[in-house]
């Protein structure tokens, strides 16, 4: 029996390496998350470590395998039999689709669509249509299926229907730059009268950044240190078309943070509220962020840093699991250009654009 230890940034990438080095008949014996690299104990990266094995009789591809001695409690024949049984179970679970459909399923997972959701999309195609071996036909069907799944949600935001626009989310996702893009669009394309309020007084740099944007756009800025300041700022901007409110990020795991936001800001009064998430974040962290903010009246999601990742599947996962549509994607630092209004078809096509025959 050949056994190989493989490390990769994500499980889908680890599975790709397993298939490349050991072949499609390999089985996973164990997997876990580890931290590697770093300097003096800092800056370590999280990796997925997989222990995979292959029966020599089934091996079709040669790689740099690591041969190990089997535990003395079992002879080699018993180990091989156990591996074969495990392989059969794995194949029944993960490889039950026709080849092209299996390729589509694996493609979706490689884009970090959750396994259950990827299976749902592929199962739907097999139920609705006769099987096809045409890659382009399958690509179009799958694109349409993803669109159908998302079209009932509130996507896009060409104009704002309420005067106060609140952006909330964890630190580092790009809320302030996104706010400036939205404000610049309102000023340049719709000639609206715009004001800024920031409650992000925890970081001096955050206030300075918004002051810079306010100066460039010739927009008044009010800094709110407490609820009274915020109320006064709202009253000052009462006759403005739009008021964009930048909030502090801080650590989303701090439960007191969301409570402070609720005490400081009136989210229900003439406002539209957007949760800003970065596509470079892990899905588990996105879900944790949403869980912390779910008590706020979030209307839509905004995803930033689209230019820094190819794993667009997280946006599909979040929209599907939360029932919240996506207003915008941002894909760079340029104000106001690096912003794209979201739509179900745009997201479906973006997800499927790299799908091709193996």
């Amino acid at each position: 029996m050949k056994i190989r230890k493989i490390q990769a940034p994500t499980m889908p990438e680890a599975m790709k390496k397993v298939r490349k080095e050991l072949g499609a008949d390999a089985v996973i014996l164990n997997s876990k998350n580890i931290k590697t690299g770093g300097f003096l104990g800092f800056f370590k990266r999280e990796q997925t470590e997989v222990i995979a094995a292959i029966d020599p009789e089934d091996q079709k591809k040669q790689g740099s395998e690591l041969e190990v001695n089997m535990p003395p409690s079992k002879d080699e024949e018993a180990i091989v039999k156990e591996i074969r049984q495990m392989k059969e179970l794995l194949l029944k679970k993960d490889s039950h689709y026709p080849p092209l459909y299996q390729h589509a399923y694996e493609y979706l997972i490689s884009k970090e669509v959750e396994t259950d959701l990827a299976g749902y999309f592929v199962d739907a195609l097999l139920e609705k249509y006769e099987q096809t071996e045409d890659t382009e036909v399958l690509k179009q069907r799958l694109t349409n299926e993803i669109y159908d799944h998302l079209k009932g949600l509130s996507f896009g935001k060409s104009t704002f229907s309420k005067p106060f626009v609140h952006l909330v989310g964890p630190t580092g996702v790009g809320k302030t730059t996104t706010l400036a893009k939205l404000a610049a669009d309102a000023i340049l394309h719709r000639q609206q009268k715009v004001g800024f309020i920031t409650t992000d007084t925890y970081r001096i740099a955050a206030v300075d950044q918004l002051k810079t944007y306010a100066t460039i756009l010739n927009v008044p800025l009010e800094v709110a240190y407490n609820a009274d300041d915020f109320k006064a700022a709202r009253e000052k901007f009462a006759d403005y078309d739009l008021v964009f409110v930048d909030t502090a990020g801080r650590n989303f795991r701090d439960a007191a943070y969301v409570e402070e936001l609720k005490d400081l800001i009136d989210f229900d009064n003439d406002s539209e509220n957007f949760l800003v998430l970065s596509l470079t974040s892990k899905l588990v962290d996105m879900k944790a962020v949403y869980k912390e903010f779910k008590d706020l009246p979030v209307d839509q999601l905004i995803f930033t840093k689209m230019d820094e990742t190819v794993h667009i599947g997280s946006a599909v996962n979040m929209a599907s699991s939360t029932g919240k549509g996506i207003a915008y994607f941002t894909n760079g630092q340029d104000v106001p250009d690096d912003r794209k209004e979201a739509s179900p078809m745009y997201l479906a096509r973006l997800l499927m654009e790299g799908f091709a025959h193996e």
Side-chain angles (χ1 to χ4, degrees), residues 164-217:
F164 291 90
V165 178
H166 300 124
L167 270 59
V168 300
T171 186
V173 297
K175 292 191 299 299
T176 303
T177 303
T178 300
L179 180 146
K181 292 176 182 179
L182 300 179
D185 180 71
I187 294 168
L188 298 175
H189 296 141
R190 290 187 293 280
Q191 294 74 51
Q192 291 181 297
K193 188 178 181 182
V194 171
F196 285 159
I197 300 175
T198 181
T199 66
D200 192 356
T201 57
Y202 296 91
R203 297 180 302 124
I204 295 175
V207 176
D208 289 342
Q209 183 185 11
L210 193 56
K211 282 182 178 179
T212 300
Y213 287 133
T215 300
I216 294 171
L217 296 172

Side-chain angles (χ1 to χ4, degrees), residues 71-85:
S73 60
K74 294 184 178 181
D75 59 26
E76 184 175 349
E77 183 179 351
I79 292 291
V80 170
K81 181 179 179 181
E82 183 177 344
I83 292 297
R84 284 175 176 165
Q85 290 174 341

Side-chain angles (χ1 to χ4, degrees), residues 9-57:
T10 65
M11 178 59 79
E13 291 177 71
M15 292 299 293
K16 282 186 178 179
K17 287 187 176 182
V18 169
R19 291 189 179 92
K20 181 178 179 181
E21 298 186 23
L22 295 180
D25 292 322
V27 296
I28 305 302
L29 300 180
N30 185 41
S31 66
K32 62 181 179 180
N33 292 328
I34 61 171
K35 291 189 176 181
T36 62
F39 178 72
L40 297 178
F42 297 97
F43 311 113
K44 290 187 176 182
R45 295 180 301 170
E46 188 170 275
Q47 297 267 300
T48 296
E49 181 180 275
V50 169
I51 306 297
I54 183 72
D55 181 349
E57 294 180 10

